[in-house]
Amino acid sequence: MSNIHHIKQHTSEEFPIVIIGCGFGGIGMGIKLREAGIHSFTIFERADEVGGTWRDNTYPGCACDVPSYVYSFSFEPNPNWSNIFGQQQEIQQYLLDCVAKHQLRSHIRFNTAVVKAEFNDEEGIWNLTTESGEIHQARVVITAVGGLTDPALPDITGINDFKGEMFHTARWNNDYDYGNKRVAVIGTGCSAVQVIPSIQPDVAHLDVFQRTPAWIMPRHDFTISQKFKSFLAKYPKVQSAIRGVLYWGSESLAPFLILDSKWLSKPFEALAYRNLTKHVEDPELRQKLTPHFQFGCKRMIVSDDYYPALTQENVALITSPIERITEDGIVTKDGVHHALDCIVLATGFDLSLAASPFEIQGRDQRSLNDEWSVDGAYAYKGVSIAGYPNWFSIMGPNTGPGHTSVLIYTEAQINYIMGGIQTLKTQNLKYVDVRQDVMDEYNRNIQKRMKHTVWTGGSCVSWYLNADGSNHALYPGFATEYCHGIKQFKLNEYETTLYPQVQDLPATSAAG
Ligand code: N01
């Protein structure tokens, strides 16, 4: 272990904090720490730039499927969104602007992947090992590693034999010119639905390989005029009112999109079916595109240009299952060989909600990976995990929404974690460790409610579900309810230990 070196010593007053990941979660956390006058934090980012999923997903057409006035920080409103649904480049620019405005860059260690974390009970310190073997120490660790980050590559026979160009939507090769090429898109989820209409006009031929047709609602996007942007800049209260309207609008949809009720799903299925019939006249194509699962079971997709793109002459929707990939194309079960120059894998993400993001060892050497591999990922309110003191997660287990902006939840978590940090500091506690009984009771209730959701009862398979069919990804209720429940950091829900004495502690290499 000769390459391990310890970072310079600071006093405990500096209270070293490490944030892992610099997407929306890590950036928001950094902003709130600085606002509270806490500068002794470092953000470890495995890539060479901030942005997380918005940095990585550069495929043509990539945009948010949640209106940007609510898919942005409430404390950093941006009056300049180009459209109702912000595009990837401007969302990434928004994050870069947040980082610059709040002077976060000096806190960030780029190209630094944390591969191991071990808690030292005696000192109340987390030892974090990076890929290069450095060890950093922290009193508090906040993981903001995101969920939709690692591409899920399909297990298709011959996938490595293909001699043409092949890439995943989240790793788009922007140097590749797909103009006049024969291109395949495997998958018809949110990413595919954005890519397909964007590349269709330029490619020679497009084969769309569909396994399960999705429910698709109209998007109704529109460009925001310069006049309106200036108006919002002048009257920020109007923008927060718009945010409020969008928030409560989506909250009102929650029962329809969450509960396992055929009656509640029906109006949405009717609207989506009308959207299909409006754009697709050919009865055979319509039939292929008609979903057979309950609306909401998979994430609702919004698009105005996907169906029209599928009706174009240079597009074929292929529903015969893929048998294998060859050197020059894809062979389907019906025996047809589809000759191709390029294959786009729009096959989603590996959420890994039955494993920890890396090796994490809590009190008494317990291993998070071992614990989560039994029944899936659990945390209290998605944030704290019993046995892993002073360890907080942003966008942790069961905190994803099926009906609204994930950032509503993210902000609530950041606020809660700030409460935890302030409690640790002001009460001179060595650690806070959520009580096992409190965490278990919370998750029993979550999983009980999960049985009544469309995600488990709606006859579909989605990335929300673990291999055993359990859902550790989403929150089965209103955002308002989640936010209310997490409003206050309650110390009586935690085991605590006083810090024995003020002593010099090794700190991270935190700037500032
Ligand atoms: O991934 P997905 P995604 N052979 O998992 C198919 C967010 N997002 O990247 O349905 C053939 O939804 C798979 O088929 P099936 C959003 O939360 C947001 O599109 O499993 N096909 C499916 O059609 C979203 O929910 C935005 O039968 C295979 C597709 O690949 C999440 O990211 C934009 C296959 C995967 O769909 C993931 O969306 C984009 C195989 N072996 C994404 N394996 C915003 O706008 C998989 N498929 C914010």
Side-chain angles (χ1 to χ4, degrees), residues 118-127 137 361-362 430-431:
E118 289 165 290
F119 187 66
N120 179 328
D121 256 66
E122 230 162 86
E123 291 182 47
I125 287 279
W126 280 98
N127 289 305
Q137 299 189 306
Q361 234 176 58
K430 183 157 80 169
Y431 59 71

Side-chain angles (χ1 to χ4, degrees), residues 54 59 63-65 148 154-156 186-192 194 211-212 298-299 322 346-349 461 463:
W54 293 107
Y59 60 78
C64 193
D65 60 4
L148 305 172
D155 185 16
I156 300 174
I186 300 181
T188 50
C190 294
S191 302
Q194 293 181 337
R211 196 162 65 176
T212 313
K298 282 173 184 278
R299 187 181 166 88
I322 296 172
T347 46
F349 298 88
V461 176
W463 62 262

Side-chain angles (χ1 to χ4, degrees), residues 275-283 285-286 289 307-308 310-311:
N275 188 39
L276 168 63
T277 52
K278 179 180 156 196
H279 292 294
V280 179
E281 282 179 8
D282 174 8
L285 185 58
R286 247 188 219 180
L289 288 167
Y307 286 143
L310 293 183
T311 64

Side-chain angles (χ1 to χ4, degrees), residues 24-49:
F24 260 107
I27 292 170
M29 192 73 232
I31 292 174
K32 287 294 157 187
L33 282 168
R34 278 188 67 103
E35 270 181 14
I38 300 173
H39 292 220
S40 60
F41 67 94
T42 306
I43 308 178
F44 290 127
E45 168 55 55
R46 68 180 179 180
D48 59 3
E49 189 46 277

Side-chain angles (χ1 to χ4, degrees), residues 161-208:
D161 298 341
F162 187 62
K163 295 249 159 63
E165 186 71 23
M166 175 155 48
F167 44 81
H168 189 273
T169 41
R171 300 288 181 272
W172 192 270
N173 179 1
N174 286 295
D175 294 329
Y176 179 71
D177 178 10
Y178 52 80
N180 290 318
K181 301 284 191 335
R182 295 163 303 176
V183 178
V185 174
I186 300 181
T188 50
C190 294
S191 302
V193 162
Q194 293 181 337
V195 166
I196 287 162
S198 307
I199 64 172
Q200 173 273 322
D202 300 319
V203 301
H205 184 80
L206 185 60
D207 282 332
V208 176

Side-chain angles (χ1 to χ4, degrees), residues 2-23:
S2 60
N3 59 342
I4 291 177
H5 65 269
H6 289 266
I7 306 303
K8 68 180 165 131
Q9 305 276 307
H10 290 275
T11 60
S12 59
E13 276 81 47
E14 288 181 70
F15 200 85
I17 297 171
V18 163
I19 300 169
I20 305 174
C22 201

Side-chain angles (χ1 to χ4, degrees), residues 151-458:
L153 300 177
D155 185 16
I156 300 174
T157 309
I159 191 163
N160 296 321
D161 298 341
F162 187 62
K163 295 249 159 63
E165 186 71 23
M166 175 155 48
F167 44 81
H168 189 273
T169 41
R171 300 288 181 272
W172 192 270
N173 179 1
N174 286 295
D175 294 329
Y176 179 71
D177 178 10
Y178 52 80
N180 290 318
K181 301 284 191 335
R182 295 163 303 176
V183 178
V185 174
I186 300 181
T188 50
C190 294
S191 302
V193 162
Q194 293 181 337
V195 166
I196 287 162
S198 307
I199 64 172
Q200 173 273 322
D202 300 319
V203 301
H205 184 80
L206 185 60
D207 282 332
V208 176
F209 290 85
Q210 172 189 276
R211 196 162 65 176
T212 313
W215 290 112
I216 300 177
M217 293 292 259
R219 193 159 183 248
H220 298 313
D221 193 16
F222 56 86
T223 307
I224 312 291
S225 70
Q226 189 49 51
K227 213 167 152 187
F228 193 64
K229 290 180 200 169
S230 309
F231 177 72
L232 291 182
K234 199 165 165 199
Y235 302 104
K237 282 201 175 135
V238 175
Q239 183 158 342
S240 67
I242 293 173
R243 186 181 171 97
V245 168
L246 290 167
Y247 172 77
W248 287 109
S250 56
E251 280 291 82
S252 69
L253 300 182
F256 297 92
L257 297 176
I258 294 176
L259 293 177
D260 179 14
S261 153
K262 290 211 165 51
W263 290 108
L264 289 175
S265 305
K266 269 210 160 69
F268 280 78
E269 289 176 6
L271 282 172
Y273 190 69
R274 202 167 73 183
N275 188 39
L276 168 63
T277 52
K278 179 180 156 196
H279 292 294
V280 179
E281 282 179 8
D282 174 8
E284 198 187 325
L285 185 58
R286 247 188 219 180
Q287 208 203 348
K288 282 183 177 177
L289 288 167
T290 304
H292 300 289
F293 58 86
Q294 207 173 316
F295 192 97
C297 182
K298 282 173 184 278
R299 187 181 166 88
M300 176 179 78
I301 299 180
V302 290
S303 174
D304 294 329
D305 50 9
Y306 175 63
Y307 286 143
L310 293 183
T311 64
Q312 301 304 305
E313 281 200 342
N314 66 339
V315 181
L317 181 72
I318 294 150
T319 52
S320 176
I322 296 172
E323 192 175 82
R324 64 180 193 280
I325 295 179
T326 64
E327 277 188 5
D328 59 351
I330 292 177
V331 176
T332 38
K333 285 247 157 60
D334 56 8
V336 178
H337 175 260
H338 306 266
L340 297 163
D341 301 306
C342 173
I343 299 177
V344 174
L345 305 170
T347 46
F349 298 88
D350 181 7
L351 209 55
S352 294
L353 278 174
S356 60
F358 46 86
E359 200 186 326
I360 302 168
Q361 234 176 58
R363 285 166 78 180
D364 309 319
Q365 270 93 51
R366 57 200 283 181
S367 149
L368 191 59
N369 205 40
D370 290 351
E371 289 176 24
W372 280 7
S373 65
V374 180
D375 284 322
Y378 285 106
Y380 179 54
K381 295 176 177 170
V383 176
S384 304
I385 311 160
Y388 300 83
N390 297 359
W391 183 279
F392 301 106
S393 311
I394 294 177
M395 297 187 208
N398 292 113
T399 61
H403 67 287
T404 187
S405 169
V406 69
L407 296 178
I408 303 290
Y409 298 67
T410 305
E411 282 193 25
Q413 289 151 14
I414 290 170
N415 185 49
Y416 182 79
I417 296 167
M418 285 304 300
I421 292 172
Q422 300 289 19
T423 306
L424 276 164
K425 282 173 76 103
T426 54
Q427 305 204 18
N428 195 34
L429 299 174
K430 183 157 80 169
Y431 59 71
V432 288
D433 185 10
V434 70
R435 281 167 35 203
Q436 187 78 44
D437 61 316
V438 170
M439 183 179 96
D440 290 347
E441 175 60 24
Y442 177 82
N443 284 298
R444 258 195 303 277
N445 185 37
I446 289 278
Q447 291 306 324
K448 204 164 115 195
R449 291 174 66 178
M450 207 56 91
K451 292 195 183 111
H452 305 289
T453 66
V454 65
W455 309 314
T456 45

